[in-house]
Amino acid sequence: MSRTLFIADLHLCHEEPAITAGFLRFLQREAPHCDALYILGDLFEAWIGDDDPNPLHQQVAAALHALPVPVFFIHGNRDFLLGHDFARASGMTLLPEEQVLDLYGHRVLIMHGDTLCTDDQGYQRFRAKVHQRWLQKLFLSLPLFIRKRIAAQMRADSKQANQHKSVSIMDVNQDAVAAAMTRQQVLLLIHGHTHRPAVHPLMVMNQPAQRAVLGAWHTQGSMIQLDASGLQLIDFAF
Ligand code: LP5
Ligand code: MN
């Protein structure tokens, strides 16, 4: 087949069964015909621990596990607590927040994308706090009903905060993009998070480069296909 697929920002949850159905169909029909599937974060709407007995999680783990191709996962800002137990149950390999791949003659950097939004200082402060290992351990040791309440409060606060943020603050910062691509010596970058699907041409290290942004799965699916000819952003109906 010789193509690799990338997806992000499905925000799977019990309240959006059509998105889950679309994802399960994607896993059955599309994903088996590729070399590997990379999930670049926010697969789930919110993740409060691998011990959450949510049947949706078991259903998704089983479907991922049944896929005959390797699946890799980078954490998003909603599911950064997804851990080794769920990775094992779903057969996914967890990757660090930035990963460089060498595929079909292309060197490509993949990430969720939230770390590129450096103008959003409120978010970056929030991120630094919740990425502290001790705080995560403390949170994960709380009873599930308390974790659910805290997560719901965070989601409400986040929605509230976003109403007062400009569109440009919530997009990636161009200097952060160029810095990451230069640091990793790549001319291709794939990320999600901003929910603004597009392939942006840019110059990196004085060479033409591309930044491809995955779309969120609201009413249709979004994926990026990478093969020898380059990358392609594709929308598809559920
Ligand atoms: O997610 P989205 O699209 O709304 O906005 C994001 C940024 N917000 C977040 C917060 C998440 O939505 C919360 C998810 C919780 C999941 C699991 C809980 C695990 C807890 C672990 C604890 C160790 O990521 C948003 C960005 C936006 O993307 C665009 O980039 O702007 O950032 C914010 O909204 C941050 C705000 O500026 C400040 C957030 C206030 C949260 C305060 C927490 C209060 C805790 C209360 C506890 C009782
Ligand atoms: Mn995100």
Side-chain angles (χ1 to χ4, degrees):
M1 194 69 221
S2 290
R3 63 169 188 158
T4 293
L5 298 180
F6 302 84
I7 57 173
D9 301 297
L10 289 80
H11 295 270
L12 299 177
C13 59
H14 174 73
E15 290 74 22
E16 299 280 356
I19 302 177
T20 303
F23 180 50
L24 295 176
R25 201 164 303 129
F26 167 83
L27 290 180
Q28 271 180 355
R29 304 218 178 134
E30 192 72 38
H33 313 289
C34 72
D35 296 331
L37 172 66
Y38 288 83
I39 303 175
L40 306 185
D42 290 358
L43 174 61
F44 293 100
E45 173 74 355
W47 193 267
I48 56 170
D50 293 6
D51 58 336
D52 181 353
N54 188 331
L56 170 70
H57 299 173
Q58 285 153 26
Q59 191 185 14
V60 169
L64 284 167
H65 207 276
L67 195 63
V69 304
V71 183
F72 299 90
F73 180 81
I74 293 183
H75 294 98
N77 58 300
R78 303 290 193 88
D79 49 18
F80 57 91
L81 288 178
L82 192 148
H84 294 288
D85 288 344
F86 187 78
R88 205 170 303 116
S90 56
M92 296 196 295
T93 302
L94 301 181
L95 297 177
E97 64 185 45
E98 288 189 7
Q99 178 78 37
V100 175
L101 309 173
D102 265 303
L103 293 171
Y104 322 111
H106 304 285
R107 196 175 148 81
V108 52
L109 172 61
I110 55 173
M111 60 173 81
H112 180 55
D114 56 329
T115 52
L116 298 172
C117 300
T118 52
D119 295 330
D120 192 343
Q121 292 173 4
Y123 171 66
Q124 295 303 336
R125 273 195 302 273
F126 169 78
R127 186 180 194 279
K129 276 196 197 107
V130 298
H131 276 255
Q132 298 175 101
R133 207 49 215 137
W134 70 268
L135 190 61
Q136 295 185 354
K137 276 199 179 136
L138 177 67
F139 177 82
L140 291 172
S141 72
L142 298 171
L144 260 176
F145 80 96
I146 297 184
R147 278 182 267 164
K148 276 188 188 150
R149 268 194 219 163
I150 293 175
Q153 185 62 50
M154 283 181 175
R155 291 289 310 116
D157 288 352
S158 180
K159 273 187 197 152
Q160 177 78 24
N162 289 359
Q163 282 177 359
H164 307 290
K165 287 181 194 169
S166 70
V167 168
S168 69
I169 278 182
M170 289 198 285
D171 203 352
V172 300
N173 173 290
Q174 297 307 327
D175 294 338
V177 169
M181 294 179 78
T182 304
R183 175 164 36 80
Q184 302 282 13
Q185 298 284 297
V186 294
L187 297 174
L188 287 182
L189 165 63
I190 301 176
H191 70 83
H193 182 67
T194 60
H195 301 189
R196 297 176 207 198
V199 180
H200 301 277
L202 73 161
M203 293 298 285
V204 176
M205 302 174 285
N206 293 319
Q207 292 172 74
Q210 283 179 313
R211 175 174 68 92
V213 188
L214 286 155
W217 290 39
H218 293 306
T219 53
Q220 55 179 8
S222 173
M223 67 176 186
I224 285 171
Q225 172 178 307
L226 182 69
D227 61 20
S229 69
L231 55 78
Q232 219 182 319
L233 175 63
I234 301 165
D235 289 339
F236 53 94
F238 289 152

